């Protein structure tokens, strides 16, 4: 038996151990799944042809319901499941849990596949030079699920219940009170089978009856009190169309999907912990009946991701979209994977985040700054630097013509695009950026004060500062004001022979260096300054209406000037705007109609504590 070569990056030694890694390592050591003689999972075509079933050491799966766009919480689950398979020579299956016909859509299916691939993972593996696709959908197994249900009925493990929904709810009992057996619980297998087939054949109304597992109405675990496993629902399914008018319940379908695909470690979030006894009960019964074989998959639970200032519920995210509180699923303020991507997050940063937050069994909140920190760490050595002026006011160097012979004279400034520390070893030539200094430049409005507050070091009459990467200048005062008394032009004098990188650079001492963009070669850009979407750290905690917590200032759009190297960005290219933080050229709008459009991803420092 040989392990598949997974397309996900080569196996690496695990960085930080956790309880799941320990379980897997223990299973690998004991050979828990090594002795299986099964036919392999449906996608193992090349292995089956070669007579080598069950190739993977471990199999995990990522099983979203295609009823919305994936969010940062799903990203944790994706990194975990695909990451474990990668690290232990296994395979991770991509599976759509499409047991709920009304809510699902192919738009969502495509967006989910896209998100997983963008995050850097693949459900393909190769064997004997052939690719095996581990892409599945629950609805492919509806026939098997139906057969398994008939088996459970025949073996006396399931019955058709015709109580009303209210009766069923009342008879289920609660934590302190055992349930009451349904009057239909003692029907014979033959009667139940006939009734179940009538359900399948459309002879009964939606909701008229359900198939229930027959376990124990007095169980302390309410999930074991004869859970429903099939219901009647006349709905067109995006995969099976109108073939079925009965659909399996998620809790019944999921263990079967795992078993048919030979999943070894079925990893899910903590809310499914109470479902685990049913998971095992069901698979044990089907193994007894010879429909499946031991050892069957096992379910393990971990704590879901809760991120401050963020909502991780597909339903609530959908509401933000449909109520037009945001521009769409990919609005850069959305915690969806498409939103994070458009905001400027990288797959590497998200993978780093998933690694850093770890996996535990107790619920907690992760601070949003942890995610931003991972992005800064990833972009620090990748994102080219550049200057942008976000709140521009014009600065005129009034003696420019005298010093350089002509008011129209322009001079190149050459600066590194990456700081020396960010260069890969031997990276030559280091990337550079070129921009022009001339008589007029744009500066930041806050970098000039007519009457400076105490300690102010930037431009005020008489003060000497450096235009970063250019010349040292001496401020002479206000050049012009508008009718409201707002400064529209600042005046200064350039000091000859002080350019950065020349022997004269240190000749005159400057109190500060300010960022700027040349009027001659600066390019106007729309810059979208995004902030947190919610004002509260836990916007939907304690039954609060999360819409009331929306931050009215989560987007501010400004007209800025950027240096030419930024304006030349490809859509999706990330930069560090000096002094302001990380920005990305918007992947939808940048370059459309010749317009430059940037999104702020995050500032340079953590500002969430404030
Ligand atoms: P939502 O409540 O947003 O609809 P869900 O759990 O219903 O989420 P699924 O499509 O069923 O969404 O989720 C697919 C997988 O992602 C599941 O295994 C689920 O446990 C996991 N998952 C969902 N939300 C989170 C989260 N916040 N943190 C970690 N894993 C999550
Ligand atoms: Mg779900």
């Amino acid at each position: 038996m040989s392990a598949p070569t997974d397309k996900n990056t080569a196996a690496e030694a695990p960085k930080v151990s956790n309880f799941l890694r320990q379980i897997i390592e223990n299973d690998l050591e004991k050979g828990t799944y090594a002795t299986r003689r099964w036919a392999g999972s449906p996608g193992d075509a090349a292995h089956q042809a070669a007579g080598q079933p069950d190739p993977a050491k471990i199999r995990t799966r990522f099983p979203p319901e295609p009823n919305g766009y994936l969010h940062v919480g799903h990203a944790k689950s994706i990194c975990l499941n695909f990451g474990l398979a990668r690290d232990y020579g296994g395979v991770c299956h991509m599976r759509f849990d499409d047991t709920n016909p009304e809510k699902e859509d192919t738009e969502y299916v495509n967006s989910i596949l896209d998100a997983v691939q963008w995050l850097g993972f693949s459900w393909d593996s190769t064997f004997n030079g052939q690719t095996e696709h581990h892409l599945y959908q629950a609805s492919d197994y509806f026939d098997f699920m139906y057969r398994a249900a008939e088996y459970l009925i025949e073996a006396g493990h399931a019955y058709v219940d015709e109580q009303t929904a209210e009766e069923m709810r009342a008879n289920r009992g609660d934590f302190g009170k055992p349930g009451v057996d349904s009057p239909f619980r003692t029907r014979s297998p033959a009667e139940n089978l006939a009734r179940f087939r009538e359900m399948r054949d459309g002879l009964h109304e939606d909701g008229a009856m359900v198939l229930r597992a027959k376990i124990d109405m007095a169980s302390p675990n309410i999930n074991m009190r004869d859970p429903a496993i099939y219901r009647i629902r006349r709905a067109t399914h995006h995969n099976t169309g109108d073939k079925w008018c009965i659909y399996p319940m998620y809790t019944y379908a999921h263990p079967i999907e795992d078993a048919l695909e030979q999943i070894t470690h079925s990893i899910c979030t903590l809310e499914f912990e109470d479902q685990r006894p049913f998971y095992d009960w069901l698979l044990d019964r089907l193994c007894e009946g010879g429909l499946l074989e031991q050892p069957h998959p096992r379910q393990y639970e971990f704590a879901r991701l809760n991120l401050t200032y963020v909502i991780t519920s597909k339903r609530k995210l959908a509401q933000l979209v449909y109520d037009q509180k945001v521009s769409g699923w990919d609005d850069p303020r959305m915690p969806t994977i498409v939103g994070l991507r458009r905001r400027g997050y990288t797959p590497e940063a998200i993978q780093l985040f998933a690694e850093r937050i770890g996996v535990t069994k107790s619920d907690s909140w992760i601070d949003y700054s942890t995610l931003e920190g991972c992005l800064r760490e990833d972009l620090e050595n990748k994102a080219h630097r550049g200057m942008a002026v976000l709140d521009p006011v014009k600065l005129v160097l009034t003696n420019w013509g005298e010093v350089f012979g002509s008011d129209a004279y322009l001079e190149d400034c050459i600066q590194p695009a990456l700081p020396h520390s960010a260069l890969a070893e031997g990276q030559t030539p280091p990337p550079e950026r070129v921009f022009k200094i001339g008589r007029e430049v744009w500066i930041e409005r806050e970098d000039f004060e007519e009457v400076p507050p105490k300690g102010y070091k930037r431009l005020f009459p008489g003060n000497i500062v450096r235009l970063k990467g250019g010349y040292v200048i001496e401020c002479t005062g206000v050049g012009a004001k508008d009718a409201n008394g707002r400064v529209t032009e600042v005046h200064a004098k350039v000091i000859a022979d002080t350019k950065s990188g020349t022997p004269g650079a240190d000749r005159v001492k400057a109190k500060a260096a300010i960022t700027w963009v040349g009027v001659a070669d600066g390019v106007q850009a729309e810059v979208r300054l995004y902030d947190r979407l919610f004002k509260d750290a836990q916007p939907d905690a304690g039954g609060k209406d999360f819409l009331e917590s929306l931050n009215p200032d989560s987007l501010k759009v400004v007209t800025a000037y950027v240096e030419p190297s930024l304006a030349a960005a490809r859509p999706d290219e990330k930069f560090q705007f000096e002094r302001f933080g990380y920005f990305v050229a918007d992947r939808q709008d940048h370059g459309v109609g010749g317009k430059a459009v940037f999104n702020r991803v995050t500032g340079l420092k953590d500002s969430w504590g404030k």
Side-chain angles (χ1 to χ4, degrees):
M1 230 180 259
S2 68
T5 339
D6 202 288
K7 284 213 179 124
N8 301 310
T9 2
E12 275 171 43
K15 289 181 202 98
V16 185
S17 189
N18 58 50
F19 75 99
L20 289 172
R21 288 186 182 277
Q22 281 161 18
I23 288 165
I24 290 171
E25 284 163 20
N26 189 36
D27 279 333
L28 288 173
E29 204 178 290
K30 287 198 314 206
T32 310
Y33 296 96
T35 56
R36 288 187 304 182
R37 294 168 293 105
W38 309 349
S41 96
D44 292 345
H47 278 88
Q48 274 155 19
Q52 291 186 327
D54 194 20
K57 288 186 181 149
I58 66 158
R59 279 178 199 265
T60 54
R61 84 287 171 268
F62 175 64
E65 197 184 337
N67 62 349
Y69 281 68
L70 298 185
H71 52 62
V72 62
H74 296 110
K76 174 179 180 180
S77 181
I78 293 168
C79 293
L80 179 62
N81 281 293
F82 282 91
L84 287 171
R86 173 196 61 203
D87 292 348
Y88 291 101
V91 173
C92 180
H93 290 191
M94 176 70 223
R95 182 205 306 148
F96 289 106
D97 231 314
D98 55 353
T99 48
N100 212 354
E102 294 101 331
K103 292 203 214 138
E104 292 152 8
D105 199 305
T106 38
E107 177 197 348
Y108 299 137
V109 168
N110 294 331
S111 79
I112 290 170
L113 294 177
D114 230 44
V116 173
Q117 287 175 316
W118 177 73
L119 279 172
F121 297 107
S122 162
W123 46 87
D124 287 348
S125 58
T126 46
F127 180 75
N128 284 350
Q130 274 175 273
T131 304
E132 294 179 325
H133 303 290
H134 300 284
L135 175 59
Y136 307 98
Q137 42 194 355
S139 51
D140 290 340
Y141 312 129
F142 281 172
D143 286 327
F144 182 95
M145 290 172 191
Y146 178 81
R147 274 206 314 282
E150 287 209 344
Y151 162 75
L152 292 175
I153 293 170
E154 284 162 357
H157 295 312
Y159 63 99
V160 173
D161 194 353
E162 295 177 40
Q163 295 182 97
T164 64
E166 295 78 63
E167 286 167 338
M168 254 182 263
R169 208 170 304 126
N171 289 337
R172 195 183 300 130
D174 54 37
F175 283 110
K177 195 168 107 207
V180 175
D181 284 4
S182 161
F184 299 94
R185 201 173 193 265
T186 50
R187 280 213 285 221
S188 71
E191 272 177 288
N192 280 316
L193 193 58
R195 267 294 197 243
F196 186 49
R197 289 181 177 169
E198 287 171 18
M199 284 169 64
R200 177 200 59 190
D201 296 338
L203 302 184
H204 299 285
E205 293 298 303
D206 285 18
M209 54 193 72
V210 294
L211 183 69
R212 296 176 77 173
K214 191 173 178 177
I215 309 178
D216 178 7
M217 287 305 290
S219 170
N221 181 346
I222 291 182
N223 298 295
M224 294 297 271
R225 294 183 188 171
D226 294 6
I229 59 180
Y230 258 98
R231 69 220 148 108
I232 307 171
R233 187 67 48 95
R234 283 176 179 74
T236 304
H237 188 281
H238 75 104
N239 180 30
T240 56
D242 292 321
K243 179 176 175 192
W244 297 95
C245 67
I246 56 171
Y247 288 95
M249 302 298 286
Y250 175 82
T251 46
Y252 171 78
H254 198 83
I256 294 179
E257 295 153 24
D258 284 348
L260 289 177
E261 292 176 16
Q262 301 204 13
I263 300 303
T264 55
H265 300 81
S266 177
I267 298 165
C268 61
T269 35
L270 279 176
E271 65 267 25
F272 293 101
E273 195 166 9
D274 291 344
Q275 293 288 352
R276 180 162 20 100
F278 178 69
Y279 186 102
D280 290 332
W281 179 91
L282 176 63
L283 294 185
D284 285 339
R285 297 295 80 73
L286 297 179
C287 286
E288 276 167 17
L291 281 87
L292 298 171
E293 277 187 42
Q294 297 282 7
H296 65 65
R298 297 280 160 189
Q299 174 182 306
Y300 303 95
E301 307 87 19
F302 71 99
R304 60 182 280 120
L305 169 66
N306 296 310
L307 193 59
T308 57
Y309 298 99
V310 159
I311 273 176
T312 48
S313 149
K314 277 190 234 144
R315 185 181 59 77
K316 290 176 185 165
L317 294 175
Q319 196 179 337
L320 293 174
V321 174
Y322 296 130
D323 292 356
Q324 300 184 1
K325 304 291 183 199
V326 292
S327 66
W329 287 99
D330 70 344
D331 186 300
R333 291 165 293 183
M334 288 283 273
T336 49
I337 296 179
V338 282
L340 290 168
R341 180 179 184 182
R342 189 164 174 196
R343 177 70 170 264
Y345 274 85
T346 60
E348 292 82 357
I350 295 173
Q351 284 201 33
L352 179 64
F353 174 69
E355 184 69 35
R356 188 154 293 166
I357 60 179
V359 191
T360 65
K361 279 194 83 78
S362 56
D363 270 318
S364 66
W365 282 79
I366 302 289
D367 210 78
Y368 194 83
S369 61
T370 310
L371 178 61
E372 288 192 332
C374 291
L375 183 82
R376 286 190 203 101
E377 228 172 286
D378 181 46
L379 291 186
E380 164 67 20
N381 290 345
K382 284 185 193 165
H384 282 193
R385 281 22 176 199
M387 286 195 286
V389 174
L390 301 186
D391 185 9
V393 63
K394 192 178 277 184
L395 172 81
V396 179
L397 300 170
T398 50
N399 63 339
W400 186 263
E402 288 161 42
V403 173
F404 295 105
S406 157
D407 279 349
Y409 174 74
L410 293 173
E411 192 171 310
D412 279 350
C413 301
I414 301 172
Q415 288 289 301
L418 281 175
H420 189 72
S421 59
L423 295 181
E425 209 174 319
Q427 188 177 348
T428 49
E432 281 178 344
R433 26 191 268 262
V434 182
F435 44 91
K436 291 185 191 305
I437 189 164
R439 183 172 182 268
E440 294 184 344
V441 303
W442 299 110
I443 60 165
E444 218 49 69
R445 178 167 291 280
E446 64 171 25
D447 285 351
F448 171 76
E449 291 286 352
E450 208 173 349
V451 183
K454 204 165 170 282
Y456 191 80
K457 294 199 173 68
R458 289 166 277 167
L459 289 171
F460 57 87
N463 200 35
I464 291 181
V465 306
R466 173 178 295 285
L467 293 176
K468 223 174 162 189
Y471 283 91
V472 175
I473 62 171
E474 178 176 350
C475 184
T476 49
V478 175
K481 286 184 179 176
D482 65 13
N484 301 321
R486 203 168 118 102
V487 175
T488 53
E489 199 172 290
V490 176
H491 282 182
K493 289 193 157 136
V494 63
I495 303 177
D497 191 24
T498 57
K499 196 169 167 209
S500 297
T502 66
D506 297 326
R507 212 168 55 79
V508 180
K509 186 130 182 56
K511 287 266 173 51
I514 63 170
T515 51
W516 58 280
V517 168
V519 168
D521 68 347
V523 176
Q524 208 178 68
E526 178 179 317
V527 176
R528 299 168 180 171
L529 300 171
Y530 292 106
D531 199 350
R532 64 197 79 177
L533 186 53
F534 294 101
K535 289 178 292 184
D536 296 325
Q538 300 179 9
D540 54 353
K544 259 187 304 193
D545 178 4
F546 68 101
L547 293 178
E548 277 173 22
S549 171
L550 277 170
N551 175 9
D553 303 317
S554 59
L555 170 59
K556 196 176 145 207
V557 181
V558 298
T559 301
Y561 288 96
V562 300
E563 64 170 76
S565 69
L566 299 181
R570 287 168 279 108
D572 221 22
E573 196 174 353
K574 284 101 187 153
F575 295 92
Q576 186 188 110
F577 286 11
E578 288 186 32
R579 107 193 231 178
F580 290 116
Y582 291 100
F583 290 73
V584 63
D586 188 76
R587 56 196 300 264
Q588 295 291 338
D589 301 335
H590 179 75
V592 176
K595 205 166 128 183
V597 181
F598 291 91
N599 303 329
R600 178 167 67 194
V601 200
T602 165
L604 287 175
K605 288 205 195 80
D606 176 16
S607 61
W608 291 82
K610 281 189 217 153

